[in-house]
Amino acid sequence: MFSLTSDSLSARLRPLQKAITGSDLPPRVIEFGPWLPDRGILANPGCLEAKNVIPQIDHYAPVNGLSSVSTALTARGRGGLAVRGSDGVVSIFAADISKLYKLVAGTFNDVSKSGGYTTAEDFGTEFVLWGNKVIATNYTDAVQIYNLSSSSLFADMITSTLKPKARHVAVVGDFVMLGGTNDATDGEVPNRAWWSKINDETNFDPAESTLCDFNDFPSGGWVQKIVGLSRFCLVFFDTEIWRGQFVGSPRIFRFDIIEKN
């Protein structure tokens, strides 16, 4: 059960009550049942909606007014990430069409590499935390990296001969995995997952000795998202979901379809 007669709400309602009724006496207690939207309308002892309130221990309270906590980006936001570094400090990053930002003392500072970016209208920027580094990718520019301990600006991450760009990025155990790639050799391959050398985000040249390689999926459409865990990943496509399991050399990752619908 919950009540709308908290001191703060009563104080807010009294001017309105007096204007309507001519009295500023405390409002009558109105009790409501629990929030039970899944019960349906008939024979429901509770409430179907709970709007503009926040849960308390035994009731709901009104939402406080909104206020700005930072400056704005210079264009529409296209991605963001909050991370905790190895020193325990929380950092917030964001992206728009041409810049990458870091929030410092309430101000979003431009921490883009020299020249900025050219994010396409239909793409955003994905971020992921890799150790004590933040990786960002927007597909149209080189994959970027920012060291939380030492960087002042983002920089190109990949230094190997092959330098794939990617729509998606994830950390899968000891690998950085890219999804939906574009490189100088094979061009656009939207159904590809490509992982780095083990424990080295700078090297994407496939080699059995480094465990770097890629996999082109035979069905499902384009890669839409990769979710990475310590020993396996989930690769989401337009119409399918695949599970990638780390199995070591020479296969490295074994991929199995787990959902076709």
Side-chain angles (χ1 to χ4, degrees), residues 163-226:
K163 298 178 175 63
K165 302 174 182 178
R167 291 183 174 89
H168 309 286
V169 60
V171 171
V172 185
D174 296 323
F175 301 88
V176 173
M177 185 176 289
L178 305 177
T181 63
N182 184 359
D183 70 283
T185 300
D186 293 337
E188 298 186 32
V189 190
N191 60 322
R192 174 174 291 180
W194 192 335
W195 54 93
S196 68
K197 174 183 176 180
I198 187 168
N199 285 317
D200 184 356
E201 76 279 2
T202 69
N203 189 342
F204 277 79
D205 289 342
E208 184 176 345
S209 61
T210 66
L211 302 185
C212 174
D213 206 352
F214 57 77
N215 188 79
D216 295 338
F217 293 82
S219 60
W222 290 19
V223 176
Q224 298 295 333
K225 182 69 176 178
I226 302 176

Side-chain angles (χ1 to χ4, degrees), residues 59-76:
H59 66 284
Y60 287 142
V63 177
N64 293 327
L66 301 178
S67 61
S68 298
V69 296
S70 73
T71 59
L73 309 183
T74 58
R76 176 169 59 89

Side-chain angles (χ1 to χ4, degrees), residues 219-234:
S219 60
W222 290 19
V223 176
Q224 298 295 333
K225 182 69 176 178
I226 302 176
V227 177
L229 297 169
S230 60
R231 298 284 295 182
F232 70 93
C233 64
L234 296 176

Side-chain angles (χ1 to χ4, degrees), residues 172 175 177 195 231 244-247 251-255:
V172 185
F175 301 88
M177 185 176 289
W195 54 93
R231 298 284 295 182
Q245 176 74 48
F246 178 72
V247 294
R251 193 170 183 179
I252 309 170
F253 280 93
R254 170 185 170 179
F255 291 95

